[in-house]
Amino acid sequence: MNGIKIRGTGRDVPKKLVTNRDLEKMVDTSDEWITARTGIQTRHHCGEGERISAVTAEAAHRALEDAGVSPEEIGACIVATVTPETLVPSAACTIQRALGLPRDIPCFDLNAACTGFLFALHTMECLLNASPRKFGLVVGAENLSRVINWADRGTCILFGDGAGAAVVECREGWPSVSAVLGCHGNDELLRLPGPEAGEPSYVSMEGTRVFKFAVEAVPWCVDQVLKKTGRTVEDVDFFVFHQANARIIDLAVRKYHIPPEKTYKNIAEYGNTSAASIPLVLSELREQGKIGPGSRVLAVGFGGGLTWGGCLIEFA
Ligand code: UT7
């Protein structure tokens, strides 16, 4: 099987910025608590007239531009999301129409919660091996502000909206992303019921227990990806972790003695954007010139499901 590399990235977020001070006026919380416990300072929420479908299409458009790939060259489009604007059509079909992607390709949404982008990368690698077109569009997009329970101060301060996208290319002889993916089948710790579930369609989470799961899942994924690829921590140019809590990232960085210049946090600005968080980081790193052609990035995600995953991603 041939592997994939990322050729271009893009991102977009809604304009409306919600600060911790704004939240102080809405719920019993404080800037100090949120900053100390999560690292979050602001998050973007879709405001009046802003639609996540437009934000998602813009991120995908920017990734195509960055990659220098035209819509006709795309062989598949996957959007990782738990909050598509409409269930049908999927967010991926909406992008297909907005960007003029070919009709004879699979476009679909994928739900693996906060690990969705990595599940989608692996799925894309499989799809492109069977496609005559060698480029794929992998997007993570969320509109979590729509599913916030404002009566729950433990979760309402966490989430943000946004979209990150990557154009990947599949070529003979390129290494696989070597995904390690898994799920616990846990329906208690992190929930977002659908419209027919008979309970409010809000996110709920047992934060402390999910935190404990995350601090175990992250090193497990790092170890498994290194083992699968035969690489060491030193071989990796950048470590990108799902941005759920700055403390979870800091623990992993300390455990592996990762030098500060080899990791990155943007949770302060965006909060937890679930499936969008990893591609948002990748896009910022690429824009800042911190990663580029030849870079090797170890990405780890974890979240509802409970799901977890890791990939070793190379840049073309
Ligand atoms: O993206 C998917 C994966 N998600 C995660 O990985 C999230 C993992 N979990 C977390 O990041 C953390 O558990 C949270 C940030 C959600 C919560 O932090 P915590 O340190 O686990 O806090 P806690 O839930 O144990 O609450 C500690 C205290 C409680 O008060 P008492 O009982 O000690 O008096 C809470 O009521 O903090 C209180 N509290 C707050 N206080 C001010 C909870 N939320 C808030 C708040 N402002 N927003």
Side-chain angles (χ1 to χ4, degrees):
M1 193 164 109
N2 302 316
I4 55 170
K5 294 187 182 184
I6 292 186
R7 184 161 278 287
T9 56
R11 67 180 186 283
D12 194 25
V13 289
K15 286 185 193 63
K16 183 177 159 193
L17 201 62
V18 180
T19 65
N20 291 348
R21 296 278 179 223
D22 293 332
L23 294 176
E24 283 177 352
K25 294 175 202 141
M26 299 160 71
V27 290
D28 180 15
T29 190
S30 66
D31 177 37
E32 292 70 30
W33 191 96
I34 300 171
T35 305
R37 296 288 178 124
T38 70
I40 301 168
Q41 287 168 3
T42 61
R43 64 291 284 148
H44 296 256
H45 284 177
C46 281
E48 194 78 19
E50 280 188 293
R51 299 176 68 155
I52 197 64
S53 55
V55 170
T56 309
E58 184 57 30
H61 170 71
R62 289 175 185 170
L64 283 171
E65 275 197 342
D66 183 43
V69 168
S70 64
E72 314 80 77
E73 294 178 275
I74 293 296
C77 172
I78 307 175
V79 180
T81 182
V82 298
T83 48
E85 192 168 286
T86 51
L87 287 173
V88 179
S90 66
C93 287
T94 306
I95 289 186
Q96 180 189 30
R97 192 170 79 165
L99 301 188
L101 303 183
R103 292 196 171 183
D104 57 339
I105 64 166
C107 298
F108 60 94
D109 293 356
L110 182 155
N111 172 351
C114 305
T115 323
F117 184 77
L118 300 183
F119 275 61
L121 264 189
H122 170 72
T123 308
M124 182 60 78
E125 187 168 274
C126 301
L127 285 175
L128 289 183
N129 268 276
S131 164
R133 295 188 180 91
K134 289 302 159 203
F135 296 101
L137 194 47
V138 185
V139 185
E142 299 291 6
N143 188 192
L144 295 164
S145 64
R146 188 162 59 76
V147 293
I148 284 173
N149 177 4
W150 289 105
D152 176 10
R153 67 175 180 167
T155 57
C156 71
I157 50 106
L158 299 173
F159 300 111
D161 300 339
V167 171
V168 301
E169 181 178 356
C170 181
R171 269 210 214 159
E172 205 176 322
W174 277 0
S176 163
V177 293
S178 302
V180 292
L181 306 172
C183 319
H184 266 310
N186 179 299
D187 66 352
E188 289 172 5
L189 298 192
L190 216 174
R191 284 179 65 79
L192 171 53
E196 302 299 328
E199 43 184 314
S201 201
Y202 294 139
V203 179
S204 62
M205 177 169 69
E206 290 194 33
T208 311
R209 290 175 69 192
V210 175
F211 190 98
K212 189 169 178 298
F213 154 72
V215 295
E216 287 167 7
V218 171
W220 190 88
C221 289
V222 171
D223 289 344
Q224 293 304 309
V225 172
L226 292 177
K227 193 170 154 200
K228 195 170 174 178
T229 55
R231 300 282 181 188
T232 63
V233 170
E234 288 71 37
D235 294 331
V236 176
D237 297 309
F238 240 94
F239 289 83
V240 171
F241 301 109
H242 167 47
Q243 309 281 304
N245 188 316
R247 288 187 289 143
I248 296 172
I249 300 170
D250 294 343
L251 283 169
V253 166
R254 274 206 294 279
K255 183 178 170 70
Y256 288 97
H257 306 290
I258 300 169
E261 66 276 11
K262 279 191 170 191
T263 189
Y264 189 75
K265 281 182 285 194
N266 60 13
I267 187 169
E269 175 179 353
Y270 299 115
N272 181 346
T273 57
S274 190
S277 94
I278 289 175
L280 280 173
V281 171
L282 294 177
S283 164
E284 289 198 340
L285 287 174
R286 197 169 148 77
E287 191 176 78
Q288 293 169 19
K290 291 183 172 157
I291 53 177
S295 296
R296 198 179 283 132
V297 174
L298 201 161
V300 173
F302 51 87
L306 297 168
T307 55
W308 65 87
C311 289
L312 193 64
I313 309 165
E314 291 199 14
F315 280 69

